[in-house]
Amino acid sequence: AAAATSDSVRGPRERRRYEPRDRTVAAVDVDVADPVDLGLFQNWLRGLGKNRDLIRVKGVFAVKDVPDRYVFSAVDATSSGCFAEPWEPREKKGCRFSLIGANLDRQALRADFMKCLATDENYKKMIANLRFKIGDAVECRLDEERGWCRGKVIRHLYKEDVWDRPPGFVAPYQVRLDTGMLI
């Protein structure tokens, strides 16, 4: 029978994140002045969670149209992020973070992050991938009582200053219903 050593026994909540053989642990640091788009940023964060070589993420992010900084931290599969205090008036806004892990592809990680910045180029790509174009006839589910209503897409990447959505939220479409109501 094999002997139980400290390397071969672990508690039920512990797990080995990576094997240290011939693997280089390094950091990828990113510092950019542009803010992120909230939806694209959330997709990027979900993608990071699938990277088995990533050990730790820590950073502060500027989100387009949000006065508060977004603080994010992750270790293995545990992560937390929230809007924190506002940026100071003279403070340099932007996104500054570090990714720590084994065998990280610096160029690929940085390129993936750049796709979530709130830039005209990224918004053009997002619009090109939307299912409905401006002028398309659509049906929208309003609620149980009103059901489905017909309308037309009148705008892409719509947002309002005040609504019951998270700060920085952008809807893919604004629709004018046949009743005249805008949603």
Side-chain angles (χ1 to χ4, degrees), residues 5-176:
T5 67
S6 61
D7 291 327
S8 65
V9 177
R10 61 179 182 229
R13 298 190 75 152
E14 296 175 295
R15 70 170 203 207
R16 266 219 197 279
R17 187 71 178 138
Y18 64 93
E19 296 297 326
R21 351 173 212 117
D22 297 326
R23 296 179 70 151
T24 304
V25 174
V28 175
D29 296 317
V30 178
D31 186 346
V32 295
D34 291 318
V36 295
D37 171 83
L38 184 63
L40 295 173
F41 178 63
Q42 289 173 333
N43 290 339
W44 177 76
L45 287 176
R46 278 191 286 278
L48 281 183
K50 297 174 185 174
N51 186 332
R52 303 282 302 155
D53 290 331
L54 203 56
I55 300 168
R56 178 145 173 69
V57 180
K58 187 172 187 175
V60 177
F61 302 85
V63 177
K64 184 177 180 181
D65 298 328
V66 179
D68 302 331
R69 67 188 78 221
Y70 187 83
V71 179
F72 182 80
S73 179
V75 177
D76 287 334
T78 304
S79 66
S80 70
C82 64
F83 286 102
E85 67 274 357
W87 295 92
E88 295 295 328
R90 292 189 173 146
E91 185 176 10
K92 176 186 162 192
K93 291 182 183 178
C95 302
R96 293 176 289 283
F97 62 97
S98 291
L99 305 163
I100 300 170
N103 300 324
L104 298 179
D105 183 339
R106 292 173 187 270
Q107 290 179 333
L109 287 167
R110 184 174 173 78
D112 285 346
F113 175 73
M114 299 305 275
K115 293 175 188 173
C116 72
L117 295 178
T119 63
D120 289 341
E121 180 184 341
N122 285 340
Y123 285 133
K124 286 177 185 173
K125 289 177 186 175
M126 185 188 298
I127 290 169
N129 289 320
L130 290 175
R131 180 176 175 192
F132 301 110
K133 305 301 177 207
I134 292 176
D136 282 357
V138 295
E139 290 186 333
C140 302
R141 175 88 171 151
L142 300 180
D143 55 33
E144 289 294 324
E145 184 178 312
R146 294 180 286 181
W148 291 89
C149 293
R150 293 175 188 236
K152 285 194 177 181
V153 174
I154 62 167
R155 190 171 171 191
H156 288 138
L157 306 182
Y158 174 72
K159 69 179 187 115
E160 290 187 11
D161 292 331
V162 179
W163 61 1
D164 61 344
R165 302 281 186 225
F169 177 83
V170 177
Y173 310 103
Q174 183 180 31
V175 175
R176 180 179 308 281

